Amino acid sequence: NAGVTQTPKFRILKIGQSMTLQCAQDMNHNYMYWYRQDPGMGLKLIYYSVGAGITDKGEVPNGYNVSRSTTEDFPLRLELAAPSQTSVYFCASSSDVGSYNSPLHFGNGTRLTVT
Amino acid sequence: TQLLEQSPQFLSIQEGENLTVYCNSSSVFSSLQWYRQEPGEGPVLLVTVVTGGEVKKLKRLTFQFGDARKDSSLHITAAQPGDTGLYLCATDMGRRALTFGSGTRLQVQP
């Protein structure tokens, strides 16, 4: 089982460049999420989606955009990279949220450095 | 404002010792999940607690949900180097996404 697949694993961007972080899941989950994790910290929610065509902002959405055209894919777009966006980005999916039988399944992350 | 407070932030112990980490909030949880994250990987779910006063055991790990459902603890008995990692609690806070605490980083020295 592939689960949640994120690409690329690592990326270095110059200030002002743009890029798309890819995320795909093969578990037919409706819910998908993007979190960022700064060094030594927990996870902060950037955007989430409860199904194809539906997205919503999390705690720290500024500087990012998302789309959800299919159930499987949930790409995260950085338009004008800034040093403050240096972080590890995790994509996750679940069949529901917070309930007993719906854990979040995470990818292995994309480590992004903006210089 | 951190909705979920975890303590301690960092813990370094010797193999064989016991430890307890905590997750607290001023809000009532509908449910609470504990995750463990190892270096270079995404978090993995350990347990979900739902009922106030609930106690769940996972081998040497014991999870407790407070009676008022505002706090939870994770106790590890006879810690091993394989327990090393970042322990995160998370809850939905009534939203359609999980909010995570800042985590407790555990280092178990052999």
Side-chain angles (χ1 to χ4, degrees):
Chain A
N1 287 338
V4 178
T5 302
Q6 291 185 239
T7 56
K9 291 190 190 321
F10 304 94
R11 184 72 186 269
I12 298 174
L13 284 181
K14 294 188 186 302
I15 294 171
Q17 287 186 321
S18 61
M19 77 165 292
T20 299
L21 283 66
Q22 301 292 345
C23 175
Q25 54 95 6
D26 61 0
M27 296 171 283
N28 201 33
H29 285 164
N30 284 325
Y31 291 77
M32 294 189 75
Y33 314 86
W34 277 104
Y35 289 90
R36 60 176 285 174
Q37 185 175 37
D38 297 330
M41 302 295 288
L43 299 159
K44 294 195 174 178
L45 182 67
I46 305 171
Y47 270 96
Y48 67 101
S49 169
V50 301
I54 306 169
T55 62
D56 207 349
K57 296 178 180 178
E59 302 168 74
V60 290
N62 291 344
Y64 307 95
N65 277 301
V66 293
S67 59
R68 184 94 183 272
S69 57
T70 67
T71 299
E72 293 78 19
D73 300 299
F74 190 40
L76 177 71
R77 178 86 178 159
L78 283 72
E79 290 294 349
L80 290 170
S84 61
Q85 293 177 306
T86 293
S87 191
V88 181
Y89 291 83
F90 287 99
C91 179
S93 72
S94 66
S95 57
D96 196 348
V97 59
S99 69
Y100 186 75
N101 292 319
S102 63
L104 260 61
H105 297 264
F106 283 87
N108 282 332
T110 293
R111 186 175 296 274
L112 176 67
T113 301
V114 182
T115 62
Chain B
T1 302
Q2 188 73 26
L3 294 174
L4 291 174
E5 299 283 347
Q6 289 192 246
S7 61
Q9 287 186 308
F10 183 78
L11 195 54
S12 180
I13 61 172
Q14 295 296 124
E15 183 176 359
E17 291 183 12
N18 301 333
L19 66 115
T20 303
V21 300
Y22 302 92
C23 176
N24 299 286
S25 175
S26 57
S27 302
V28 174
F29 304 134
S30 56
S31 64
L32 189 88
Q33 296 183 341
W34 283 95
Y35 289 79
R36 179 169 66 210
Q37 184 181 19
E38 299 186 14
E41 299 183 4
V44 175
L45 180 72
L46 295 173
V47 78
T48 301
V49 286
V50 178
T51 306
E54 184 175 5
V55 176
K56 284 194 172 179
K57 293 196 174 186
L58 188 65
K59 296 183 181 178
R60 293 175 293 99
L61 279 60
T62 301
F63 302 85
Q64 187 156 3
F65 202 15
D67 291 339
R69 294 177 19 237
K70 290 185 175 183
D71 58 273
S72 181
S73 64
L74 158 58
H75 181 80
I76 301 179
T77 303
Q80 299 177 0
D83 296 324
T84 293
L86 180 67
Y87 289 82
L88 295 158
C89 63
T91 187
D92 59 18
M93 292 287 188
R95 300 171 58 197
R96 293 187 291 181
L98 289 187
T99 296
F100 284 80
S102 56
T104 292
R105 188 166 298 279
L106 173 65
Q107 179 78 40
V108 182
Q109 308 284 355

